[in-house]
Amino acid sequence: MSNTDKYAVLGNPIEHSMSPLLHEFFAQKTGQELCYGRILVEAGTFEKTVRDFFKNGGRGCNVTVPCKLDAYKLADSLSDYAKAAGAVNTLKVMEDGSIYGDNTDGRGLVYDLKRLSCPLTDASILIIGAGGAAKGILLPILNESPKEIVIANRTVAKAQSLASLYPGKVKGCGFDELDCSFDLIINASSSSLSGELPPVKDEIIEKAQAVYDLMYSKTAQTTFTQKASSLNVPKVSDGFGMLIGQAILSFELWRGVKPDFDTAIKKFRPC
Ligand code: ATR
């Protein structure tokens, strides 16, 4: 068996994951010797799969759908971001053999929003959706001191319950109650997965300075970024940069060196 440090991404499905390509590119650019694979996790086997991987030389892993909650439960210790998200996308084997869980998704998003010069500090921000994706981005966005964050969701009670985790800082409501404008609109709902649009009025979208969809598609715009572009929103982006950002932060946690964001974006999305 080789002594090369092993990493992997775990989830189901997993064959579509770009993580191996990204991490091998980062390793090459930073001169780190490692290998990175994909592991399909069958239902109910997450813990055994991870423990076997670590027993066989795995030093860390990324965790994707539907295993982020299992990873959260398995970790011996958690970062504040993982605690706030209630989910883990990065596991690391520590020197004492314990397992540390982090969540780099939200910080990956903030990294990309800054790269794109989207409004954040003192900005009024609308987050669409109140599921796990929305929960995972709240703390990193709040760290940037926005003026206000409003979460709008079809199921209003979910928006209110998520907002109540940050009393006085985040408001939760239904789409009908939205009546003002926002500097930045983030689609954290899974609407784009099914090619649907969340029920946000055009008048609200067209007043935004920036629209960001956490989803991305390798081939085309998402339904929501397409809508925002058609309404001439000045800055429109899908979540590809967030994908790169979260991967960079995982790599840094494991290896102690930070790959360059722009080099990675140019390589994987050249236009
Ligand atoms: P994730 O963990 O990816 O956030 P999730 O927990 O299933 O996934 O949450 C999906 C979110 O997308 C929910 O907020 C859901 O709204 P409901 O809670 O009302 O179901 C939202 N969502 C999914 N499809 C949507 C659509 N077409 N329009 C608006 N919101 C949608």
Side-chain angles (χ1 to χ4, degrees):
M1 200 176 66
S2 103
N3 287 327
T4 306
D5 290 343
K6 288 202 264 182
Y7 298 87
V9 58
L10 282 76
N12 191 345
I14 206 63
E15 68 277 6
H16 68 286
S17 173
M18 285 191 66
S19 293
L21 291 178
L22 296 176
H23 286 282
E24 276 160 15
F25 180 74
F26 297 159
Q28 185 204 330
K29 290 287 170 197
T30 57
Q32 297 281 307
E33 201 173 311
L34 57 86
C35 62
Y36 190 110
R38 289 184 182 88
I39 300 177
L40 179 72
V41 180
E42 300 296 350
T45 67
F46 179 77
E47 177 162 2
K48 181 174 178 346
T49 308
V50 174
R51 294 204 189 277
D52 284 351
F53 177 62
F54 289 161
K55 222 182 282 169
N56 292 315
R59 301 281 308 274
C61 63
N62 285 126
V63 180
T64 187
V65 178
C67 305
K68 291 184 181 185
L69 185 59
D70 293 325
Y72 176 85
K73 289 183 189 153
L74 179 136
D76 298 306
S77 59
L78 294 163
S79 71
D80 288 347
Y81 296 104
K83 284 181 197 161
V88 156
N89 78 332
T90 309
L91 290 172
K92 176 183 177 174
V93 181
M94 306 302 276
E95 272 180 22
D96 64 1
S98 67
I99 301 174
Y100 176 72
D102 194 1
N103 192 315
T104 63
D105 287 331
R107 279 172 292 152
L109 166 69
V110 167
Y111 212 85
D112 199 33
L113 290 171
K114 286 183 177 174
R115 175 182 74 94
L116 298 164
S117 305
C118 291
L120 267 178
T121 304
D122 294 329
S124 70
I125 300 174
L126 171 64
I127 295 177
I128 300 167
K135 192 174 181 188
I137 62 174
L138 278 175
L139 179 61
I141 291 180
L142 278 166
N143 284 349
E144 300 302 317
S145 309
K147 187 166 89 191
E148 63 162 349
I149 297 182
V150 175
I151 300 171
N153 198 45
R154 282 187 314 203
T155 315
V156 181
K158 271 168 75 179
Q160 287 167 338
S161 140
L162 188 49
S164 73
L165 299 176
Y166 300 93
K169 294 184 179 168
V170 181
K171 276 183 263 172
C173 66
F175 291 104
D176 292 350
E177 296 161 67
L178 295 175
D179 58 1
C180 56
S181 61
F182 296 92
D183 302 311
L184 169 66
I185 300 178
I186 299 172
N187 185 16
S189 81
S190 49
S191 58
S192 295
L193 267 185
S194 47
E196 291 167 22
L197 278 171
V200 181
K201 291 190 197 99
D202 286 3
E203 299 89 87
I204 291 178
I205 300 174
E206 68 194 358
K207 284 188 201 135
Q209 290 171 44
V211 160
Y212 195 103
D213 195 336
L214 301 192
M215 300 277 159
Y216 73 90
S217 147
K218 281 182 197 157
T219 49
Q221 283 199 309
T222 73
T223 330
F224 196 61
T225 59
Q226 220 165 0
K227 176 74 174 174
S229 298
S230 76
L231 294 170
N232 299 315
V233 173
K235 286 181 184 179
V236 178
S237 180
D238 69 9
F240 192 78
M242 174 181 176
L243 173 81
I244 304 265
Q246 62 77 32
I248 285 176
L249 293 164
S250 297
F251 191 93
E252 186 184 21
L253 175 70
W254 295 325
R255 309 301 298 183
V257 283
K258 194 170 193 169
D260 182 60
F261 195 104
D262 290 336
T263 314
I265 281 276
K266 277 192 199 114
K267 162 82 180 165
F268 292 101
R269 185 169 275 183
C271 49

CSV table of all heavy atoms in Angstrom, one decimal, residues 194-226:
chain,number,residue,atom,x,y,z
A,194,SER,N,-35.6,21.3,-9.9
A,194,SER,CA,-36.7,20.8,-10.7
A,194,SER,C,-37.1,21.8,-11.8
A,194,SER,O,-38.2,21.7,-12.4
A,194,SER,CB,-37.9,20.5,-9.8
A,194,SER,OG,-38.1,21.6,-8.9
A,195,GLY,N,-36.2,22.7,-12.1
A,195,GLY,CA,-36.5,23.7,-13.2
A,195,GLY,C,-37.7,24.6,-12.8
A,195,GLY,O,-38.3,25.2,-13.7
A,196,GLU,N,-38.0,24.8,-11.5
A,196,GLU,CA,-39.1,25.7,-11.2
A,196,GLU,C,-38.5,27.0,-10.7
A,196,GLU,O,-37.3,27.1,-10.4
A,196,GLU,CB,-39.9,25.1,-10.0
A,196,GLU,CG,-40.7,23.8,-10.4
A,196,GLU,CD,-41.2,23.1,-9.2
A,196,GLU,OE1,-41.3,23.6,-8.1
A,196,GLU,OE2,-41.4,21.9,-9.4
A,197,LEU,N,-39.4,28.0,-10.6
A,197,LEU,CA,-39.0,29.3,-10.1
A,197,LEU,C,-39.7,29.5,-8.7
A,197,LEU,O,-40.9,29.2,-8.6
A,197,LEU,CB,-39.5,30.4,-11.0
A,197,LEU,CG,-38.6,30.7,-12.2
A,197,LEU,CD1,-39.4,31.7,-13.2
A,197,LEU,CD2,-37.3,31.3,-11.8
A,198,PRO,N,-39.0,30.0,-7.7
A,198,PRO,CA,-39.7,30.3,-6.5
A,198,PRO,C,-40.6,31.5,-6.7
A,198,PRO,O,-40.3,32.4,-7.6
A,198,PRO,CB,-38.5,30.7,-5.5
A,198,PRO,CG,-37.4,31.1,-6.4
A,198,PRO,CD,-37.6,30.4,-7.7
A,199,PRO,N,-41.7,31.6,-6.0
A,199,PRO,CA,-42.7,32.7,-6.3
A,199,PRO,C,-42.3,34.0,-5.8
A,199,PRO,O,-43.0,34.6,-4.9
A,199,PRO,CB,-44.0,32.1,-5.6
A,199,PRO,CG,-43.5,31.2,-4.5
A,199,PRO,CD,-42.2,30.7,-5.0
A,200,VAL,N,-41.2,34.6,-6.3
A,200,VAL,CA,-40.8,35.9,-5.9
A,200,VAL,C,-41.2,36.9,-7.1
A,200,VAL,O,-40.9,36.5,-8.2
A,200,VAL,CB,-39.3,36.0,-5.7
A,200,VAL,CG1,-38.9,37.4,-5.3
A,200,VAL,CG2,-38.8,35.0,-4.7
A,201,LYS,N,-41.9,38.0,-6.7
A,201,LYS,CA,-42.3,38.9,-7.8
A,201,LYS,C,-41.2,39.5,-8.6
A,201,LYS,O,-40.1,39.8,-8.0
A,201,LYS,CB,-43.1,40.0,-7.2
A,201,LYS,CG,-44.4,39.6,-6.6
A,201,LYS,CD,-45.2,40.9,-6.2
A,201,LYS,CE,-46.4,40.6,-5.2
A,201,LYS,NZ,-46.0,40.9,-3.8
A,202,ASP,N,-41.4,39.7,-9.9
A,202,ASP,CA,-40.4,40.3,-10.8
A,202,ASP,C,-39.9,41.6,-10.2
A,202,ASP,O,-38.8,42.0,-10.3
A,202,ASP,CB,-41.0,40.5,-12.2
A,202,ASP,CG,-41.1,39.2,-13.0
A,202,ASP,OD1,-40.8,38.1,-12.4
A,202,ASP,OD2,-41.5,39.2,-14.1
A,203,GLU,N,-40.9,42.4,-9.7
A,203,GLU,CA,-40.6,43.8,-9.2
A,203,GLU,C,-39.5,43.7,-8.1
A,203,GLU,O,-38.7,44.6,-7.9
A,203,GLU,CB,-41.8,44.5,-8.6
A,203,GLU,CG,-42.9,44.7,-9.6
A,203,GLU,CD,-43.9,43.5,-9.6
A,203,GLU,OE1,-44.8,43.4,-8.8
A,203,GLU,OE2,-43.6,42.6,-10.4
A,204,ILE,N,-39.5,42.6,-7.4
A,204,ILE,CA,-38.5,42.5,-6.3
A,204,ILE,C,-37.1,42.0,-6.9
A,204,ILE,O,-36.1,42.6,-6.6
A,204,ILE,CB,-39.0,41.5,-5.2
A,204,ILE,CG1,-40.1,42.1,-4.5
A,204,ILE,CG2,-37.9,41.1,-4.3
A,204,ILE,CD1,-40.8,41.3,-3.4
A,205,ILE,N,-37.2,41.1,-7.8
A,205,ILE,CA,-35.9,40.6,-8.4
A,205,ILE,C,-35.3,41.7,-9.2
A,205,ILE,O,-34.0,41.9,-9.1
A,205,ILE,CB,-36.2,39.4,-9.3
A,205,ILE,CG1,-36.8,38.2,-8.5
A,205,ILE,CG2,-34.9,38.9,-10.0
A,205,ILE,CD1,-37.3,37.0,-9.4
A,206,GLU,N,-36.0,42.5,-10.0
A,206,GLU,CA,-35.4,43.5,-10.9
A,206,GLU,C,-34.8,44.6,-10.1
A,206,GLU,O,-33.9,45.4,-10.7
A,206,GLU,CB,-36.3,43.9,-12.0
A,206,GLU,CG,-37.5,44.7,-11.5
A,206,GLU,CD,-38.6,44.9,-12.6
A,206,GLU,OE1,-38.4,44.3,-13.7
A,206,GLU,OE2,-39.6,45.5,-12.3
A,207,LYS,N,-35.1,44.8,-8.8
A,207,LYS,CA,-34.5,45.9,-8.1
A,207,LYS,C,-33.2,45.5,-7.4
A,207,LYS,O,-32.5,46.3,-6.8
A,207,LYS,CB,-35.5,46.4,-7.0
A,207,LYS,CG,-36.6,47.2,-7.6
A,207,LYS,CD,-37.5,47.8,-6.4
A,207,LYS,CE,-38.8,48.2,-6.9
A,207,LYS,NZ,-39.9,47.8,-6.0
A,208,ALA,N,-32.9,44.2,-7.4
A,208,ALA,CA,-31.7,43.7,-6.7
A,208,ALA,C,-30.4,44.1,-7.5
A,208,ALA,O,-30.5,44.2,-8.7
A,208,ALA,CB,-31.7,42.2,-6.6
A,209,GLN,N,-29.4,44.4,-6.8
A,209,GLN,CA,-28.1,44.6,-7.4
A,209,GLN,C,-27.4,43.3,-7.8
A,209,GLN,O,-26.6,43.2,-8.8
A,209,GLN,CB,-27.1,45.3,-6.5
A,209,GLN,CG,-27.5,46.8,-6.2
A,209,GLN,CD,-26.7,47.3,-5.1
A,209,GLN,OE1,-25.5,47.1,-5.1
A,209,GLN,NE2,-27.3,48.0,-4.1
A,210,ALA,N,-27.7,42.3,-7.1
A,210,ALA,CA,-27.1,41.0,-7.3
A,210,ALA,C,-28.0,39.8,-7.0
A,210,ALA,O,-28.8,39.9,-6.0
A,210,ALA,CB,-25.8,40.8,-6.5
A,211,VAL,N,-28.0,38.8,-7.8
A,211,VAL,CA,-28.8,37.6,-7.6
A,211,VAL,C,-27.8,36.4,-7.7
A,211,VAL,O,-27.0,36.3,-8.6
A,211,VAL,CB,-29.9,37.4,-8.6
A,211,VAL,CG1,-30.4,36.0,-8.7
A,211,VAL,CG2,-31.1,38.4,-8.3
A,212,TYR,N,-27.9,35.5,-6.7
A,212,TYR,CA,-27.0,34.4,-6.6
A,212,TYR,C,-27.8,33.1,-6.4
A,212,TYR,O,-28.6,33.1,-5.4
A,212,TYR,CB,-26.0,34.6,-5.5
A,212,TYR,CG,-24.8,33.6,-5.5
A,212,TYR,CD1,-23.6,34.1,-5.9
A,212,TYR,CD2,-24.9,32.3,-5.1
A,212,TYR,CE1,-22.4,33.3,-6.0
A,212,TYR,CE2,-23.8,31.5,-5.1
A,212,TYR,CZ,-22.6,32.0,-5.6
A,212,TYR,OH,-21.5,31.1,-5.6
A,213,ASP,N,-27.6,32.1,-7.2
A,213,ASP,CA,-28.3,30.8,-7.0
A,213,ASP,C,-27.3,29.8,-6.4
A,213,ASP,O,-26.2,29.6,-7.1
A,213,ASP,CB,-28.9,30.3,-8.3
A,213,ASP,CG,-29.9,29.2,-8.1
A,213,ASP,OD1,-29.9,28.5,-7.1
A,213,ASP,OD2,-30.8,29.0,-9.0
A,214,LEU,N,-27.6,29.2,-5.3
A,214,LEU,CA,-26.6,28.2,-4.8
A,214,LEU,C,-26.4,27.0,-5.7
A,214,LEU,O,-25.4,26.3,-5.6
A,214,LEU,CB,-27.0,27.7,-3.4
A,214,LEU,CG,-27.2,28.7,-2.3
A,214,LEU,CD1,-27.3,28.0,-0.9
A,214,LEU,CD2,-26.1,29.8,-2.2
A,215,MET,N,-27.4,26.8,-6.5
A,215,MET,CA,-27.3,25.6,-7.5
A,215,MET,C,-26.5,26.1,-8.6
A,215,MET,O,-26.3,27.2,-8.9
A,215,MET,CB,-28.7,25.3,-8.0
A,215,MET,CG,-29.7,24.9,-7.0
A,215,MET,SD,-29.5,23.2,-6.6
A,215,MET,CE,-30.3,23.1,-5.0
A,216,TYR,N,-25.9,25.1,-9.3
A,216,TYR,CA,-25.3,25.4,-10.6
A,216,TYR,C,-25.5,24.3,-11.6
A,216,TYR,O,-25.8,23.1,-11.2
A,216,TYR,CB,-23.7,25.6,-10.4
A,216,TYR,CG,-23.0,24.4,-10.1
A,216,TYR,CD1,-22.4,23.6,-11.1
A,216,TYR,CD2,-22.8,23.9,-8.8
A,216,TYR,CE1,-21.7,22.4,-10.9
A,216,TYR,CE2,-22.2,22.7,-8.5
A,216,TYR,CZ,-21.6,22.0,-9.6
A,216,TYR,OH,-21.0,20.8,-9.3
A,217,SER,N,-25.3,24.6,-12.8
A,217,SER,CA,-25.5,23.6,-13.9
A,217,SER,C,-24.2,23.7,-14.7
A,217,SER,O,-23.7,24.8,-15.0
A,217,SER,CB,-26.7,23.9,-14.6
A,217,SER,OG,-26.6,23.5,-16.0
A,218,LYS,N,-23.7,22.5,-15.1
A,218,LYS,CA,-22.4,22.6,-15.9
A,218,LYS,C,-22.7,23.1,-17.3
A,218,LYS,O,-21.8,23.7,-17.9
A,218,LYS,CB,-21.9,21.1,-16.1
A,218,LYS,CG,-21.2,20.7,-14.8
A,218,LYS,CD,-20.6,19.3,-15.0
A,218,LYS,CE,-20.2,18.6,-13.7
A,218,LYS,NZ,-20.2,17.2,-13.7
A,219,THR,N,-23.9,23.0,-17.8
A,219,THR,CA,-24.1,23.4,-19.2
A,219,THR,C,-24.9,24.7,-19.4
A,219,THR,O,-24.7,25.3,-20.4
A,219,THR,CB,-24.9,22.2,-19.8
A,219,THR,OG1,-26.0,21.9,-19.0
A,219,THR,CG2,-24.1,21.0,-20.0
A,220,ALA,N,-25.8,25.1,-18.5
A,220,ALA,CA,-26.6,26.2,-18.7
A,220,ALA,C,-26.8,27.0,-17.5
A,220,ALA,O,-26.4,26.6,-16.4
A,220,ALA,CB,-28.0,25.7,-19.3
A,221,GLN,N,-27.6,28.1,-17.6
A,221,GLN,CA,-27.9,28.9,-16.4
A,221,GLN,C,-29.0,28.1,-15.6
A,221,GLN,O,-29.7,27.2,-16.2
A,221,GLN,CB,-28.6,30.2,-16.9
A,221,GLN,CG,-27.6,31.2,-17.4
A,221,GLN,CD,-28.2,32.6,-17.3
A,221,GLN,OE1,-29.3,32.8,-17.9
A,221,GLN,NE2,-27.5,33.6,-16.7
A,222,THR,N,-29.2,28.4,-14.4
A,222,THR,CA,-30.3,27.8,-13.6
A,222,THR,C,-31.5,28.6,-14.0
A,222,THR,O,-31.5,29.7,-14.5
A,222,THR,CB,-30.1,27.9,-12.1
A,222,THR,OG1,-30.2,29.2,-11.7
A,222,THR,CG2,-28.7,27.4,-11.7
A,223,THR,N,-32.7,28.0,-13.6
A,223,THR,CA,-34.0,28.7,-13.9
A,223,THR,C,-34.0,30.1,-13.3
A,223,THR,O,-34.4,31.1,-13.9
A,223,THR,CB,-35.1,27.9,-13.3
A,223,THR,OG1,-34.8,26.5,-13.3
A,223,THR,CG2,-36.4,28.1,-14.1
A,224,PHE,N,-33.4,30.2,-12.1
A,224,PHE,CA,-33.5,31.4,-11.4
A,224,PHE,C,-32.5,32.5,-11.9
A,224,PHE,O,-32.8,33.7,-12.0
A,224,PHE,CB,-33.2,31.2,-9.9
A,224,PHE,CG,-33.7,32.4,-9.0
A,224,PHE,CD1,-35.0,32.8,-9.0
A,224,PHE,CD2,-32.7,33.0,-8.2
A,224,PHE,CE1,-35.4,33.9,-8.2
A,224,PHE,CE2,-33.1,34.1,-7.4
A,224,PHE,CZ,-34.5,34.5,-7.4
A,225,THR,N,-31.3,32.0,-12.3
A,225,THR,CA,-30.3,33.0,-12.8
A,225,THR,C,-30.8,33.5,-14.2
A,225,THR,O,-30.6,34.6,-14.6
A,225,THR,CB,-28.9,32.5,-12.9
A,225,THR,OG1,-28.8,31.3,-13.7
A,225,THR,CG2,-28.3,32.1,-11.5
A,226,GLN,N,-31.4,32.6,-14.9
A,226,GLN,CA,-32.0,32.9,-16.2
A,226,GLN,C,-33.0,34.1,-16.1
A,226,GLN,O,-33.0,35.0,-16.8
A,226,GLN,CB,-32.7,31.7,-16.8
A,226,GLN,CG,-32.5,31.5,-18.3
A,226,GLN,CD,-32.9,30.1,-18.7
A,226,GLN,OE1,-33.3,29.3,-17.8
A,226,GLN,NE2,-32.8,29.8,-19.9
